[in-house]
Amino acid sequence: MNESEDASDEDLMLRYAAGEAGAFDRLYARHRGGVFRYLLHHCGKRSAAEEMFQDVWMNLIKTRTSYVVTARFASFLYRCAHNRLVDYYRAQGNVFEVSADEEEGTGVSIAELPADPAGDPAKQAQSRETGEQVRAALKRLPGVQREAFLLQQEAGMSLAEIAALTGVPAETVKSRLRYALAKLRLELAELAT
Amino acid sequence: MMDYQDPRVEVWYRGASRDEPSSSLDAAITAAAHLAVGARPVLHARRPRPVWMVPLAAAAVLVISVTVLRLAPEEEVLPLKDAAREAPMAESTAAPPAKPQPLAGKAAALNAVSPPLMQAAPAASPGAVSKRAITPSEEPKRAGPASEEREAKRERLAAEPAETSRAAAATTAGAAPPASQPAPAPAPAPAPAPAALSARSAPAALAPPAPPAMQLAEQAPAGRRDTSVGETTVAEARKEKSAQEGKLSAPRQAAEPQDARAPVLRKGLGAGSAAADAQPLPPEAWIAKLLTLQAAGREAEFLAELAAFRRAYPQHPLPPPLEAALVRLPAEAPRPFPGQTPR
């Protein structure tokens, strides 16, 4: 394993900003799937996701020289993606704001959500679920919960990082994640039956 | 376990969601990234060419090249072959042979071999003078490079329709029409008749028909009847053929330039006439001798000489007194058959 493969995202970004094209290739290979799925599962449209995906990376290329390491590179990258999503929803006329009603809109309390479904959901998911079902389940989640879940799964962000990106307290993020997981478990339970 | 994390949901999610951007999108983004820093773009999306494509392409190029090379010469030669096939047809009435230069060279060689005879002939027949008056203007064309010959052939092919019709007419009427009939230009003549010469420079539609040989002969002065251009070229061709056969004898060399009906003359000479075989006189001198004999009343000698003359020059025009005396010749005297084709 050479030095480039061990290099951090931040280091690779700095090297790319300095003119090393190969650093961008490695950086892109690391994050291309996560960013794309984040956008795709968020908006639910592949064409829109591809357009936003290209915009995110093109914006990164353009602003490479102004990149300063203040946080993890993933936070920087997903912030770009998040902002692009906000623009997309604004252009669509949809509201991406978080409301208390949205978090509570399911009409199901956390206590009522299935905590630990019996059986092996992983096996059930692997055998029955498809990508379409996952997308459908994610689409049924409120936007803020979906975003918190996707940022956690695709970007590997911590509560603090998600909170910093979304501009809400970490406890709010934790709450969103709990609701999201509970609903997804319910979906899994329905699929299993 | 923290309540905001669920490994089973994560496994379910990761197992089911494997969406990725398209390869074309990857290629576009990486290319843009490389171009932004001035590096050479890496074409991720390009699939490697199959290994079998290179030898297949090489084999296809080879086969096409060989085919083109084998076909190309045929395409180039075909028109020339066609022209060569059609040229004799056109030349039979109008065009000169393809080897006029050797003709001139052979004539010069003949002059060198037997100077007295060859020098006597022009003196006796001014046709040689007319011949030399024509040939210098023709010879530069004949002696020109191959490209000029091709140009001449093209021009002849352009004038071919008129000449071909004339050739057909000459074939049907016979190559050696009777002297009393107006005949087209002699078909076997390899040298250009006056009409043919004009046909070369003029379009085929405007080319006048070749004047009959007899007409030309009549238009010429009495002493020059055998010196028309057509006759001269007939003699030229005969010289060439005889030189090729290596059988050209000195007496024949002397007689040929003045002979008006060369092929028939050869037949007559081949008949074994002693008078003809033994150095026949030029026609004009012989006619003068015949007139002298007729005037002197030496009938037997006159008829013998007239018969010998007729054998030597069967189609040579005769003055009216001699023409009238032809009826008194013996029956076995060779008389030209109307439409007879000389061998």
Side-chain angles (χ1 to χ4, degrees), chain B residues 2 21 32 72 89 92-93 98 137 152 160 172-173 207 221 261 274 276 282 286 288 328 339:
Chain B
M2 292 176 283
M89 191 189 303
S92 63
T93 56
S137 62
E160 180 189 356
T172 53
R261 302 289 180 263
W286 207 337
R328 301 201 303 270

Side-chain angles (χ1 to χ4, degrees), chain B residues 191-284:
Chain B
L197 289 173
S198 65
R200 267 194 211 176
S201 55
L206 300 175
M214 189 61 203
Q215 194 178 346
L216 286 174
E218 286 172 359
Q219 286 169 358
R224 298 188 177 189
R225 282 188 179 178
D226 57 339
T227 61
S228 67
V229 175
E231 292 166 351
T232 307
T233 53
V234 168
E236 240 179 24
R238 206 166 139 260
K239 247 195 281 179
E240 181 193 17
K241 191 170 181 181
S242 300
Q244 285 173 353
E245 292 170 356
K247 297 175 181 177
L248 192 62
S249 62
R252 288 181 189 178
Q253 290 172 28
E256 281 163 2
Q258 307 140 20
D259 184 18
R261 302 289 180 263
V264 185
L265 169 63
R266 177 171 296 173
K267 183 184 174 186
L269 288 172
S273 166
D277 285 343
Q279 212 172 16
L281 290 170
E284 281 70 28

Side-chain angles (χ1 to χ4, degrees), chain B residues 63-326:
Chain B
V63 168
I64 290 170
S65 303
V66 169
T67 307
V68 167
L69 284 175
R70 292 183 72 180
L71 291 178
E74 292 177 12
E75 287 173 0
E76 288 176 6
V77 169
L78 268 176
L80 293 176
K81 281 181 179 174
D82 292 343
R85 277 189 213 124
E86 292 165 8
M89 191 189 303
E91 287 169 2
S92 63
T93 56
K99 301 181 278 185
Q101 178 70 14
L103 259 184
K106 283 172 185 172
L110 286 173
N111 275 328
V113 169
S114 56
L117 292 172
M118 293 303 288
Q119 284 167 2
S125 65
V129 177
S130 68
K131 168 195 169 187
R132 291 202 171 90
I134 289 170
T135 46
S137 62
E138 288 292 308
E139 280 180 358
K141 289 182 186 175
R142 297 172 184 176
S147 61
E148 289 181 6
E149 287 184 5
R150 279 191 219 113
E151 280 297 318
K153 279 187 178 180
R154 281 180 200 159
E155 288 174 9
R156 284 197 298 273
L157 285 173
E160 180 189 356
E163 293 172 0
T164 308
S165 61
R166 259 181 271 137
T171 308
T172 53
S180 59
Q181 292 178 358
L197 289 173
S198 65
R200 267 194 211 176
S201 55
L206 300 175
M214 189 61 203
Q215 194 178 346
L216 286 174
E218 286 172 359
Q219 286 169 358
R224 298 188 177 189
R225 282 188 179 178
D226 57 339
T227 61
S228 67
V229 175
E231 292 166 351
T232 307
T233 53
V234 168
E236 240 179 24
R238 206 166 139 260
K239 247 195 281 179
E240 181 193 17
K241 191 170 181 181
S242 300
Q244 285 173 353
E245 292 170 356
K247 297 175 181 177
L248 192 62
S249 62
R252 288 181 189 178
Q253 290 172 28
E256 281 163 2
Q258 307 140 20
D259 184 18
R261 302 289 180 263
V264 185
L265 169 63
R266 177 171 296 173
K267 183 184 174 186
L269 288 172
S273 166
D277 285 343
Q279 212 172 16
L281 290 170
E284 281 70 28
W286 207 337
I287 287 170
K289 183 182 175 185
L290 287 169
L291 290 172
T292 307
L293 289 172
Q294 191 181 27
R298 297 156 64 180
E299 186 65 14
E301 193 178 351
F302 166 71
L303 289 176
E305 281 292 327
L306 184 58
F309 177 84
R310 229 19 180 162
R311 279 194 298 272
Y313 306 105
Q315 294 185 6
H316 193 281
L318 292 171
L322 298 181
E323 192 76 33
L326 282 176

Side-chain angles (χ1 to χ4, degrees), chain A:
Chain A
M1 191 177 290
N2 57 33
E3 185 185 350
S4 297
E5 291 176 353
D6 291 337
S8 64
D9 292 346
E10 297 75 26
D11 185 34
L12 288 174
M13 185 60 199
L14 289 173
R15 284 158 63 178
Y16 172 64
E20 185 181 331
F24 179 87
D25 293 342
R26 286 183 286 279
L27 204 58
Y28 180 76
R30 285 180 188 178
H31 294 283
R32 57 186 282 275
V35 173
F36 182 74
R37 282 188 292 272
Y38 167 73
L39 294 167
L40 177 64
H41 292 157
H42 218 303
C43 71
K45 294 178 182 176
R46 189 173 183 92
S47 60
E50 286 187 340
E51 184 180 347
M52 288 186 284
F53 178 80
Q54 187 169 0
D55 290 346
V56 168
W57 287 102
M58 290 299 179
N59 187 47
L60 180 73
I61 292 166
K62 284 178 187 173
T63 59
R64 66 187 183 280
T65 53
S66 61
Y67 175 75
V68 180
V69 182
T70 56
R72 282 205 311 142
F73 173 77
S75 298
F76 170 77
L77 180 64
Y78 280 86
R79 187 182 299 120
C80 293
H82 168 82
N83 292 338
R84 185 66 186 84
L85 265 175
V86 171
D87 293 342
Y88 168 75
Y89 283 118
R90 282 178 182 165
Q92 298 290 315
N94 295 341
V95 179
F96 192 66
E97 300 299 328
V98 179
S99 67
D101 294 339
E102 191 179 12
E103 289 198 28
E104 297 166 1
T106 56
V108 179
S109 66
I110 293 177
E112 294 171 349
L113 290 173
D116 290 314
D120 190 354
K123 284 186 180 178
Q124 291 173 1
Q126 286 175 0
S127 61
R128 298 182 184 180
E129 294 301 323
T130 63
E132 288 295 328
Q133 289 170 329
V134 169
R135 275 196 289 275
L138 286 171
K139 200 170 184 178
R140 284 192 283 271
L141 291 177
V144 288
Q145 295 175 14
R146 185 165 64 239
E147 183 179 59
F149 176 80
L150 289 173
L151 288 172
Q152 184 192 44
Q153 297 298 318
E154 296 296 346
M157 287 183 172
S158 63
L159 289 177
E161 288 172 327
I162 297 171
L165 176 64
T166 56
V168 295
E171 286 300 318
T172 304
V173 173
K174 187 187 292 186
S175 175
R176 289 173 181 174
L177 283 173
R178 276 204 302 265
Y179 273 103
L181 289 173
K183 290 170 187 172
L184 289 174
R185 277 197 293 267
L186 188 63
E187 293 278 347
L188 284 173
E190 288 177 0
L191 288 172
T193 55

